[in-house]
Amino acid sequence: MEHPPAVAWTADGGAVAGLRVTRAAAAAQHPAAPPTSPGETVNQFTGSAGQLMQAGSVGTVVFNSTPEPAEHLAAPSWVRYLWEVGAPHAARFELRHLTHPQSNHISTYLLTRASTADTAAALTATLRQALPAPLLGHPVDNDDELRWTLSPFHPNTADVVEIGKTITASRTTRGDSPNPWLAAVTPWRAAPAETWTRLWSTLASSPTPILLSVGLLPFRVGEGLRANLAARAIELDYLARTGPSPTGGVFGKPRPPDQFAVAATEVLTDAVHRYTDRVFQTRVTLAGATPLPAWLTHQAAEAVSPGANTPGLHSRPATVVHPSPTDRPTAWHNATTLDFRQLTPTETLPPEAIGPVERRLLAITDLDEAAAALRAPRDLG
């Protein structure tokens, strides 16, 4: 007999329920993986009958996987479905992967946060029925397992970063610009399958526990943001062209185009067409029980969105945001409560270079961008 899903309450009053995600006909191929790695305890998940419910009892063995990651959750139709299901309830979703070093397993969970326990449980049941084939959802019906999923590491020793978008900014060379700084936020794009396969193998072989989590909060773009984006695109287009002479007159020398505006115009024009209605407030968290090596954080960023050759702008659409000491509690709060509080960008830019429009673009993704990060290992079972 199946038990009802467990519901955990976050520190800020949200109700969270979840599914373990597996692949049909695969679960029986991989035995339970005991949580014997640092940060996990063998007596964690004791069911109502006293049996041991191991962390990772439904896990992922990536070394035996085929070369491609599972694309089912990244399908545009599924991402759109998440938006449609979650938006009426202001619900948040999180696809969370947790590693088990002693067994080279990764457990994958689909978590839902809502304002009430009934809503969280109901949305979990809805998502279970709607998971794309051949994926299966198993309700997390054990309180300890759900709490471990939300907070797998001790906050005093854990390391946490967020993977966000990249902003490029430059002082304008034009005296007729209304703003002394010009900026552009590069959108994410999907990485090749082999990039994700390398990341899954790296995570599974990590000697210490790792968490990789993608959080999505449905958000509808308002008229204000649309108007501001259009105005900013017009401004950049103006500065990207030859301007009037600062002295005027027939013999005055015209102002040359601002080269940063030339590079950024295409990105802002794309943003005008990209962020028109349905988007997600998005957060990608990478955390570890011990300090995260720089090469691992870079590899995760490359998987979320690889480099792009856009002359005049940074070549990395996804960037690693290392929380400052004052931001670190916020980053940990985000990871453990499915929240979306924005961290201070770590680019070496003065605060005035990042305006309200840029901060909003750093926080949101359209459906295609969300799909770029919403991946799962191929061999779920």
Side-chain angles (χ1 to χ4, degrees):
M1 180 178 176
E2 193 171 87
H3 297 284
V7 175
W9 290 95
T10 63
D12 56 352
V16 179
L19 301 170
R20 297 184 217 92
V21 181
T22 67
R23 193 163 177 265
Q29 299 175 13
H30 308 306
T36 54
S37 55
E40 297 176 296
T41 56
V42 295
N43 63 348
Q44 255 179 325
F45 308 144
T46 304
S48 58
Q51 73 272 24
L52 184 66
M53 299 177 63
Q54 305 288 7
S57 59
V58 182
T60 301
V61 182
V62 298
F63 294 129
N64 296 331
S65 64
T66 54
E68 302 83 15
E71 302 293 343
H72 317 291
L73 295 175
S77 58
W78 168 251
V79 177
R80 188 178 303 109
Y81 178 78
L82 280 180
W83 196 99
E84 293 172 350
V85 169
H89 306 281
R92 311 147 189 226
F93 305 109
E94 197 137 337
L95 187 65
R96 181 163 295 206
H97 313 285
L98 291 153
T99 71
H100 306 281
Q102 296 299 321
S103 55
N104 295 334
H105 275 60
I106 302 176
S107 298
T108 295
Y109 294 86
L110 180 59
L111 304 176
T112 300
R113 170 175 164 160
S115 58
T116 69
D118 288 345
T119 303
L123 286 172
T124 297
T126 298
L127 293 179
R128 182 188 186 189
Q129 296 301 319
L131 277 175
L135 301 181
L136 299 175
H138 308 267
V140 178
D141 56 10
N142 183 274
D143 293 337
D144 289 337
E145 181 179 5
L146 186 57
R147 283 193 292 266
W148 168 82
T149 304
L150 289 173
S151 185
F153 314 131
H154 195 286
N156 292 342
T157 57
D159 191 14
V160 59
V161 302
E162 291 187 7
I163 297 170
K165 294 186 185 179
T166 297
I167 183 171
T168 312
S170 175
R171 276 193 172 276
T172 182
T173 59
R174 291 276 290 266
D176 57 343
S177 171
N179 298 305
W181 285 91
L182 304 180
V185 176
T186 308
W188 285 344
R189 63 186 183 91
E194 56 268 21
T195 304
W196 280 97
T197 300
R198 286 193 297 269
L199 178 61
W200 299 131
S201 294
T202 298
L203 293 177
S205 61
S206 170
T208 57
I210 301 290
L211 173 151
L212 175 63
S213 202
V214 180
L216 301 174
L217 172 61
F219 173 80
R220 192 180 291 277
V221 174
E223 181 58 36
L225 179 57
R226 288 196 295 268
N228 287 333
L229 282 174
R232 190 64 55 85
I234 292 171
E235 174 190 333
L236 285 176
D237 181 69
Y238 170 77
L239 296 174
R241 303 172 186 270
T242 300
S245 167
T247 58
V250 177
F251 301 104
K253 186 177 181 181
R255 291 183 172 96
D258 184 298
Q259 292 306 307
F260 182 85
V262 173
T265 294
E266 183 177 348
V267 173
L268 261 295
T269 301
D270 175 68
V272 170
H273 299 290
R274 183 183 291 272
Y275 309 113
T276 59
D277 184 24
R278 299 179 181 186
V279 298
F280 289 102
Q281 198 166 341
T282 304
R283 170 185 45 78
V284 179
T285 296
L286 182 69
T290 59
L292 298 165
W295 57 265
L296 175 58
T297 61
H298 175 78
Q299 190 176 14
E302 285 292 304
V304 170
S305 184
N309 185 18
T310 307
L313 303 180
H314 284 314
S315 62
R316 56 186 199 283
T319 192
V320 180
V321 181
H322 294 271
S324 66
T326 55
D327 266 353
R328 191 183 180 284
T330 299
W332 186 247
H333 170 87
N334 285 343
T336 55
T337 66
L338 280 66
D339 209 350
F340 294 84
R341 299 180 185 179
Q342 205 164 359
L343 305 183
T344 304
T346 56
E347 303 286 348
T348 55
L349 296 171
E352 60 267 25
I354 307 176
V357 173
E358 288 73 35
R359 286 193 68 84
R360 174 57 77 184
L361 293 182
L362 287 169
I364 64 175
T365 62
D366 70 359
L367 304 187
D368 289 337
E369 290 177 286
L374 204 67
R375 306 294 183 92
R378 175 89 176 179
D379 198 7
L380 286 168

